[in-house]
Amino acid sequence: IKPRQGRYTMLFPLTLLFAAIFYGGNICRTLVANGSIPITPGVWSVPILMSIGMLFFIARDFSLLRKLSR
C-alpha cells in the first residue's frame, strides 16, 4: 500500500467483484431453473470462470507465464 492510500482503497474493487460473482451466480441459477441452460454448465460456469481467473493471477504472480513462453 502506498503511503497516500487509505486503509480502504481496495474495498470498492472487492465490492464490485463480490457483486459480479453474486449476481452471476443468481443469473445462472435462474437460467437453470427456467430450463434455458442445462444443469451442468449452468451451475458450474461461475466457479469455473473464477478458478480460471484465480489460476491466471497465481501464474502471473509466480511468473509461470514468462517461463512457459520461452
Side-chain angles (χ1 to χ4, degrees), residues 11-38:
L11 187 62
F12 184 68
L14 290 176
T15 303
L16 291 178
L17 180 66
F18 173 77
I21 292 170
F22 181 76
Y23 287 121
N26 281 343
I27 289 170
C28 288
R29 185 178 62 192
T30 302
L31 291 174
V32 169
N34 291 339
S36 300
I37 57 175

Side-chain angles (χ1 to χ4, degrees), residues 16-70:
L16 291 178
L17 180 66
F18 173 77
I21 292 170
F22 181 76
Y23 287 121
N26 281 343
I27 289 170
C28 288
R29 185 178 62 192
T30 302
L31 291 174
V32 169
N34 291 339
S36 300
I37 57 175
I39 291 175
T40 303
V43 173
W44 291 103
S45 60
V46 174
I48 288 172
L49 288 174
M50 286 187 336
S51 299
I52 290 171
M54 183 181 65
L55 289 175
F56 173 76
F57 286 120
I58 288 173
R60 187 188 70 174
D61 286 345
F62 288 119
S63 69
L64 293 176
L65 295 179
R66 282 184 245 136
K67 291 178 184 176
L68 292 176
S69 65
R70 288 185 195 177

